[in-house]
Amino acid sequence: MPTTSHSGEVPARRKRADALRNQQTLLAAAAAVFVTSGVDAPIREIAARAGVGMGTIYRHFPTRADLVVAVYRHQVEACAEAGPTLLAGADSPLAALRQWVDLFVDFLVTKHGLANALQSDSSGFDALHTYFLDRLVPVCAQLLDAAVNAGEIRPGTHAYELMRGIGNLCVGRDSDPRYDPRRLVELLLQGLQRPQPS
Amino acid sequence: MPTTSHSGEVPARRKRADALRNQQTLLAAAAAVFVTSGVDAPIREIAARAGVGMGTIYRHFPTRADLVVAVYRHQVEACAEAGPTLLAGADSPLAALRQWVDLFVDFLVTKHGLANALQSDSSGFDALHTYFLDRLVPVCAQLLDAAVNAGEIRPGTHAYELMRGIGNLCVGRDSDPRYDPRRLVELLLQGLQRPQPS
DNA sequence: ACAGTAAGCGGAACAACGCTCCGCTCTGCC
DNA sequence: GGCAGAGCGGAGCGTTGTTCCGCTTACTGT
């Protein structure tokens, strides 16, 4: 019998070999295209790059967000797991938070248009927003709480809001020398530190 | 001969009455549509609302940015002029800066998709980005300098970067109760106040 | 008043893209 | 070897941006 059988709602027949192959090919193609054309690249372009039809891409990844999530899942996961690690290894919770935010910003900045897509309210990107935030907000909250408990930053800031703010700061035309998201994120963190509005 | 004649490079014939009328109609229609459908509304929708053909809209406003700028010119101008006024009337330069930023945020938040368009790197919005920033950055710089000179905030922050940061914080899906751009902008200003990273 | 001119207008037409749908192919199983 | 159906490809539809050209009409000079 297949690996899953007894009492399962879904029979879960094993996927066909060619389907699995196509899925991998698509992921590789998408990753390559995202680098050159951003995450908004035309579906046709990705399909062509992978040498498959568009039907195939839509079957494996019904929405654009599904594809983006699949491509970046590993990196998001790594970022999420880095949270507790940094907290354990850093000099202070605030230092850990700072390092973790750096990681997140690096991730967003190096993926063309990802930050835009993350905040976009256009259809098809909802799942992206959801996945990223569901995965990373708890991690951020843990770091935030630790820093608050250590008295290093003021309480009252929600992790969700902070994450979205950081993401937003990374949005925009790439490589404008006059705009460096990192400096503004740093400013945001400084604002967190201030105990009272003076 | 027409009104202007001697030595002028351009004859500058007076515009036809119907052209002027159409331009006004278009501005009104665009303003109305922007409220309901955002600044990304289909050109056709605006043309239909104004009761004109698409050729007309493209003749009067070659790029989308031209139309957006024309619609919001008054408000941008008002915001720009409020800078010196606030500086003169407020208790302190920092208070003035804070009030001015509030004005700017209100403006962005109430126009669906404007903040997005401002930062977007897609073609057609370059002029928008340019106009807004050319007009408002000097005003912001003046307020910033005054606050620095008064010793209320640390030096080293560029007005351009701050403006883009604020604009970016206003980007995103509208009216998510968990995300309030104002709180994050406030955090940014708090960060500005901090004299040294402690 | 009126005819000539060109500024201005409308919308058909083309291109790019997202997404769907259905006839065909090929895999896995007996 | 043959069969069922999972999987595939890409034609085709709807939407939007943008251009282009023949027609309309507001001004001008007489």
Side-chain angles (χ1 to χ4, degrees), chain A residues 43-68:
Chain A
I43 299 287
R44 274 176 239 264
E45 188 180 337
I46 301 171
R49 173 70 165 252
V52 305
M54 287 183 314
T56 304
I57 213 171
Y58 276 104
R59 187 163 331 93
H60 287 296
F61 307 100
T63 78
R64 191 187 218 82
D66 292 324
L67 182 54
V68 177

Side-chain angles (χ1 to χ4, degrees), chain B residues 16 19 22 52-56 59-60:
Chain B
R16 268 168 54 167
N22 270 330
V52 304
M54 289 182 312
T56 304
R59 188 166 327 96
H60 287 295

